[in-house]
Amino acid sequence: MAGLSLTERAAAHIAAAAVQPLPPEVALRGRLHLLDSLAAIVSGSRLKSGRLAAAFVAAEGGRPDACLPGTGIVTTAINAAFANGMAAHGDETDDSHLAGRFHPGCAVVPAALAVAEARGRSGTELVKAVVCGYDIGARATIALGFSGPRTGTHSTHCLGSNFGAAAAAGALAGLDARQCEYLLSYATQQASGIAYWQRDPEHVEKAFDFAGMGARNGTFAALFVASGASGVPGSLTGDFSYLSAFAENARPEALAEGLGSRFEILAASIKKWCVGSPIQAALDSLTALMAQHKLKADDVAALRAIMPDDRFVIVNDRDMPDVCLQHLLALTLVDGDLTFASSHDHGRMKDPAVLAVRRRITALPSAELTVARPARQAIIEIDCADGRKLSHRTRAVLGTPDNPMSEAQVEAKARDLMAPVLGAGQTEELMTAVRGLESLDDVRALRPLLQA
């Protein structure tokens, strides 16, 4: 692609994504992240943000182009992308991308699924579009050169989702390279999002910021351009561009660096625990100690959770159960395990047994853990009632690129999330269909298996 501008290179990659072969490992990870995101959408359809979005689009009506998994609703592609994004990030179940500082699957998959349904695209094309969305979304935020997770004036979680969804939708909308430049221009114009989502106590606006907004914007941009709309080429760099408006220390080359050879889906993490990403390592450490030493809540006289200081505030003493470090550690000790249901039960935050253990827990920020690699490590130290002192440091969190979940583990997580909504039999049929996506000629064949 010598001689092309950076915007042209990104656009050309999107335009060719649906037909370019993927390495087997990349195709597998694409399918697993797709399944993980579908499970987040199905389970999230029962959470507040998913319920609100579904009710909203049902009232809007429109052409029945795409479905809302976990419901019986079929609506326009744009509305479906929005509502499914809201469900996908209805809690902290969905995947994440550490370097890109965003949650790709909750926006990329809803946008890709909506356009794939509306256009009758194949399962293989759907997986390739999802992989493309991760590639473009991650590069869009990495190129901004933010020096820390909290230094940008705009939220990377919103920006990455916006560009990732646009790329995935564009790859399936039949756009040529010039049209994909227009697509990126509309993505740039719709780029927004400020990090006060951290103050959202109900995970509704946060779901919009991380997923619903980006999925809707990206799907709209792709379908609008596909309908014949023109746009402005060269939107990503130069004067009055995406980077000039949003970057802290712009790295323009990162926008297209490694496209086609470095696949960002391999750098994304699938969560074992359906809770905030910074808590994953702490739970891995606690459950390891519980298993090794047969620990019960009464055995713990004091517990110290030592966490990276750059993300400490995100999970420290929060009022939402699935992002509150101290509550989740106490809950795990009391119950002996942590489930999707228990981690989302607001009532358990007032449970006297959980509160009694929580009072024995101290969370400590650590600058050393912030710079440690792999990232997002955690240390749990326990003073036992019998005088023993125990410690466990999780260095590579289960589900991260350094310690990825197996296909069986991802499927087990998806099964647990979807079966309560779809039923055990339908869930197994859906997972079988996802395993065979490469042989699926039209993704609309999945619709009966996705709907409750």
Side-chain angles (χ1 to χ4, degrees):
M1 293 188 183
L4 297 182
S5 71
L6 290 167
T7 304
E8 288 171 329
R9 288 168 62 188
H13 181 77
I14 297 168
V19 298
Q20 290 295 326
L22 292 175
E25 179 190 10
V26 176
L28 172 61
R29 297 315 295 183
R31 181 166 56 77
L32 293 181
H33 280 268
L34 173 63
L35 175 62
D36 188 64
S37 299
L38 288 175
I41 294 169
V42 170
S43 62
S45 70
R46 298 302 187 267
L47 299 174
K48 186 171 184 178
S49 62
R51 297 195 312 270
L52 288 170
F56 175 78
V57 302
E60 290 292 293
R63 191 170 63 192
D65 281 337
C67 75
L68 273 56
T71 79
I73 299 169
V74 183
T75 183
T76 68
I78 294 170
N79 280 346
F82 161 71
N84 289 336
M86 293 291 290
H89 195 66
D91 64 348
E92 298 295 328
T93 296
D94 52 304
D95 65 11
S96 64
H97 190 289
L98 183 60
R101 299 176 190 166
F102 78 126
H103 291 224
C106 60
V108 169
V109 169
L113 183 64
V115 178
E117 276 195 82
R119 297 300 175 95
R121 304 303 290 262
S122 71
T124 296
E125 290 170 323
L126 174 60
V127 172
K128 290 177 177 180
V130 168
V131 170
C132 176
Y134 282 58
D135 281 337
I136 298 298
R139 284 168 172 80
T141 55
I142 293 169
L144 298 174
F146 289 165
S147 56
R150 304 171 67 83
T151 60
T153 56
H154 286 75
S155 173
T156 54
H157 294 84
C158 306
L159 299 176
S161 294
N162 179 73
F163 281 93
L172 292 164
L175 307 183
D176 62 26
R178 187 63 165 180
Q179 288 175 308
C180 284
E181 276 208 83
Y182 300 160
L183 169 76
L184 290 170
S185 182
Y186 283 103
T188 298
Q189 292 290 5
Q190 294 181 103
S192 63
I194 301 172
Y196 64 76
W197 50 259
Q198 296 178 49
R199 303 201 298 267
D200 177 13
E202 295 191 319
H203 222 290
V204 174
E205 186 173 345
K206 185 173 185 285
F208 178 74
D209 294 350
F210 277 47
M213 175 173 63
R216 179 201 64 190
N217 290 354
T219 303
F220 162 78
L223 295 180
F224 187 45
V225 172
S227 75
S230 61
V232 178
S235 61
L236 298 182
T237 63
D239 295 336
F240 304 109
S241 67
Y242 169 63
L243 291 189
S244 72
F246 292 97
E248 179 186 353
N249 300 292
R251 292 184 52 216
E253 69 284 356
L255 289 166
E257 198 170 52
L259 281 174
S261 61
R262 191 187 80 233
F263 297 94
E264 292 298 332
I265 204 158
L266 300 180
S269 300
I270 292 177
K271 297 177 180 178
K272 174 187 178 181
W273 310 100
C274 298
V275 303
S277 295
I279 303 175
Q280 303 287 314
L283 286 171
D284 279 1
S285 286
L286 175 60
T287 53
L289 288 172
M290 291 170 64
Q292 182 180 354
H293 300 282
K294 312 299 182 189
L295 288 178
K296 307 291 185 184
D298 289 343
D299 297 324
V300 177
L303 184 153
R304 291 172 295 281
I306 305 170
M307 304 285 292
D309 64 2
D310 63 338
R311 288 172 174 82
F312 184 76
V313 67
I314 298 173
V315 298
N316 181 43
D317 269 328
R318 294 293 303 279
D319 49 8
M320 285 189 292
D322 57 327
V323 292
C324 180
L325 170 67
Q326 293 89 336
H327 168 69
L328 291 170
L329 294 174
L331 186 65
T332 303
L333 281 166
V334 169
D335 290 358
D337 195 8
L338 188 72
T339 67
F340 177 83
S342 67
S343 64
H344 291 79
D345 188 341
H346 283 261
R348 297 298 301 278
M349 297 192 83
K350 298 179 181 178
D351 182 334
V354 175
L355 289 172
V357 175
R358 184 170 171 175
R359 284 191 286 271
R360 305 200 291 270
I361 294 175
T362 303
L364 302 170
S366 166
E368 175 192 347
L369 289 184
T370 295
V371 299
R373 293 294 179 269
R376 289 184 174 170
Q377 298 184 28
I379 302 169
I380 296 292
E381 297 177 345
I382 295 177
D383 298 336
C384 295
D386 62 7
R388 287 178 297 163
K389 294 188 179 296
L390 308 175
S391 178
H392 189 281
R393 178 171 181 167
T394 293
R395 298 179 184 273
V397 178
L398 180 61
T400 63
D402 294 288
N403 186 17
M405 291 172 69
S406 67
E407 183 172 8
Q409 289 173 319
V410 175
E411 288 190 347
K413 175 189 172 183
R415 184 178 293 112
D416 288 344
L417 291 172
M418 295 193 294
V421 178
L422 302 178
Q426 186 172 319
T427 296
E428 292 303 324
E429 287 186 66
L430 175 59
M431 293 205 303
T432 298
V434 172
R435 282 187 215 114
L437 268 181
E438 287 82 358
S439 61
L440 194 65
D441 293 330
D442 187 336
V443 298
R444 287 175 291 196
L446 295 176
R447 189 180 293 176
L449 301 176
L450 289 168
Q451 293 186 284

